[in-house]
Amino acid sequence: MGFLWLYLVYNMDVMEAWQILLIIIAIVLFVYVAGLFVILTRAFDFGARLKRRLNSLNMILFERRAILLRLYETCLKHGSQFDDKALEMIETMKAYDFSKPKFEVCKSAISLQKSIQNRIFYEFQVYPEIKDEAVVESSISMLDDLERNIRTSCSLFNADVLGYNYWIAVPGYHWIFFILGRRAFDSIN
């Protein structure tokens, strides 16, 4: 760039209009390509972050499912009765496949698991002797820790969604992401 500037200063009197226009086009093109590099780098960085966040959320939900199922079995041993809606929710939760992180599965699993947890905790109110078991006490403690982890993961995921959506929507560059098939993410509520 410095050489180009020296060339312009010393040859200003002999430059024709088409040469000046060509230099302006080269400068604009350089600035656009530099901006493209920055925007692509930032967008792909946020995209990689989103995949990592979704993967960690997926693992937390997998662990939470195992604990909830263990608590469900403990409730059944103590004579708890679950209605058809609760049984349907538990079967749906069992059917979720957490082997590959998917946004839709994680988003629906969060609310489903919360509903099931509330239903199981209701059983603790009906049958207080269930809470006296060591397995139940440790499981409740782990569920509290997992709930904090889920809230933290969701907050970080949503922050990265905002960053990603910002970078893929920059005017003048969003067409590149459209061609690459990159779409805006939804946040987890």
Side-chain angles (χ1 to χ4, degrees), residues 11 34 39 44 56 65 79 153 162 171 173 178:
N11 296 317
I39 289 170
F44 286 135
S56 67
R65 177 179 70 176
S153 293
L162 289 174
Y173 296 97
F178 179 78

Side-chain angles (χ1 to χ4, degrees), residues 85-114:
K85 183 180 176 187
L87 293 174
E88 182 181 325
M89 288 190 312
I90 290 170
E91 290 303 318
T92 303
M93 182 180 68
K94 286 180 183 178
Y96 278 143
D97 181 26
F98 291 110
S99 61
K100 186 174 182 182
K102 294 180 183 171
F103 175 75
E104 295 82 16
V105 171
C106 287
K107 189 172 181 178
S108 63
I110 290 170
S111 62
L112 180 67
Q113 287 181 355
K114 187 65 177 171

Side-chain angles (χ1 to χ4, degrees), residues 40-60:
L40 283 174
T41 302
R42 300 297 281 162
F44 286 135
D45 180 46
F46 276 106
R49 284 184 191 182
L50 285 172
K51 286 181 183 177
R52 285 193 309 269
R53 304 269 189 232
L54 194 58
N55 192 27
S56 67
L57 187 59
N58 190 53
M59 288 187 293
I60 294 168

Side-chain angles (χ1 to χ4, degrees), residues 22 100 149:
L22 188 62
K100 186 174 182 182
N149 290 338

Side-chain angles (χ1 to χ4, degrees), residues 119 154 164:
R119 179 63 177 91
C154 287
Y164 178 80

